[in-house]
Amino acid sequence: MSRPSTPPSPPSSIRPIVLLSAGAFASAATLRVADPLIPQIVAEFGVTAGSAAMVVGMLFAVSYGLIQILVGPLGDRFGKYRVVVVTTFLCAATNVGAALANGLFLLGATRLLSGCLAGAIIPLGIAYLGDVTPYERRQPVLARYLSGQILGVISGQVLGGVFGDTIGWRGIFVALGAVYLVIGGLLWIELKSPRVDKHRPPGGATHGLATRYLLLLRDPRVRIVVAAVFAEGFLFFGGFVFIGAYLRATFALSYGAVGAVLACFGFGGLLYAAAVKLLVTRLGERGLVLVGGSILGAAMALVAAAQAAWVVAPLAAAIGGGFYMHHNTLQTHATQMAPQARGMAISLFAFCYFLGQAAGIAAFGRGVDAFGYAPGFIASGALLFVLAIVYSRTLKR
């Protein structure tokens, strides 16, 4: 794939990037924080665990994924940093609203709205960094920005479990609202400063939203990147999401121990973010994709062959590092596949990524039911390695 030149961008400051990363932390934490709170919601409202999980978890996740298709055009129209500021403040309100809900219906409505708002923060942060960061420096910047998201995924489940026992599920949502409020205030102050690029593309849209997406897909570079990220989401999450169930069924681990093992995935991602500058320099983009795919293929196969639960923890860390080596390269290309409509391009990228996740989990779930866990892990890793080989061939100048 050819790499178009990046037009000169205004000097960037580290402070807007740090604050956007804090927003990514809050968004990811909100996505995962409800998982440990389901038993409390069951007890309070007298509903089944399935109903509680659907309301506090699935509704948020579905709206978080589907809204991706709309947030990019909003960012392109009104300014990406500005939309992040507004949605962060609104997330503060919806989380407090969830804490005040007096029934499952109202709790579900606030979680649905919260997912729509929180889903805008990370893709628009990525698109903004694509606007202000020269291409040759973009991958390390994006990796460090996404360290906030990774920490949010880890912290959401851990803090939801730890503090859920002390301040309750309502207290957790109030605390999240306070976090959003503080981050929103800092983002708003930063928005008023000269450090933030407030550029908006001139003129308005001349076509409807569906037509603009179809025009975007006419570019072969766009088709390659979104097809690759759909395949990545399908293959990776189709395998990885079942590791927890595999640990529980095979080694009879407690839920807490399963969560601790899976958290190692995030730590592997953080190690990648810390070493990304060196890795980009030494390996280049093609090398990152190939090495990341190789690590994924080997580690997933070793999970299938693990004879002890503790072996899976370092493998989960390796999977996290390999995944972000591959995914962050894809993400960097997504920021450059349509510079004239970067927000819309990142929206399409994120939408295909979430769509791939959903399809992969459904497809691999049928395979796990029919053939067991090990073939699914092996297939996931092997096909991710094949994807890495295929995609790396598109990265030639």
Side-chain angles (χ1 to χ4, degrees), residues 35-216:
D35 297 350
L37 304 179
I38 289 172
Q40 294 186 34
I41 294 168
V42 168
E44 177 154 347
F45 295 124
V47 296
T48 64
S51 297
M54 181 175 295
V55 166
V56 300
M58 195 193 78
L59 284 178
F60 184 95
V62 168
S63 61
Y64 191 102
L66 292 179
I67 201 64
Q68 302 300 324
I69 211 71
L70 299 177
V71 298
L74 286 173
D76 287 336
R77 173 67 180 85
F78 297 105
K80 302 172 185 68
Y81 208 98
R82 183 176 288 105
V83 174
V84 169
V85 173
V86 172
T87 53
T88 302
F89 277 124
L90 292 175
C91 280
T94 55
N95 276 278
V96 173
L100 298 175
N102 59 4
L104 200 62
F105 176 80
L106 286 177
L107 180 58
T110 56
R111 287 292 284 173
L112 184 71
L113 183 56
S114 186
C116 291
L117 296 165
I121 294 173
I122 293 175
L124 288 182
I126 292 170
Y128 172 82
L129 294 177
D131 285 345
V132 302
T133 309
Y135 188 87
E136 60 273 12
R137 293 197 294 112
R138 199 173 296 167
Q139 186 152 348
V141 169
L142 287 175
R144 287 165 184 164
Y145 161 74
L146 287 174
S147 63
Q149 178 191 8
I150 298 168
L151 283 169
V153 170
I154 297 171
S155 301
Q157 289 183 313
V158 172
L159 296 178
V162 172
F163 289 103
D165 289 334
T166 55
I167 63 176
W169 70 269
R170 294 183 187 274
I172 289 290
F173 284 122
V174 170
L176 274 174
V179 169
Y180 273 115
L181 188 62
V182 171
I183 294 171
L186 294 172
L187 285 166
W188 181 77
I189 292 170
E190 199 63 24
L191 180 64
K192 301 299 181 182
S193 77
R195 291 180 293 270
V196 172
D197 176 30
K198 303 174 183 66
H199 169 74
R200 284 183 286 171
T206 56
H207 302 284
L209 185 62
T211 302
R212 287 151 61 197
Y213 273 114
L214 289 173
L215 290 172
L216 194 63

Side-chain angles (χ1 to χ4, degrees), residues 350-372:
F351 178 76
C352 290
Y353 179 53
F354 278 99
L355 191 64
Q357 289 183 40
I361 291 169
F364 274 75
R366 290 181 176 273
V368 165
D369 290 342
F371 305 108

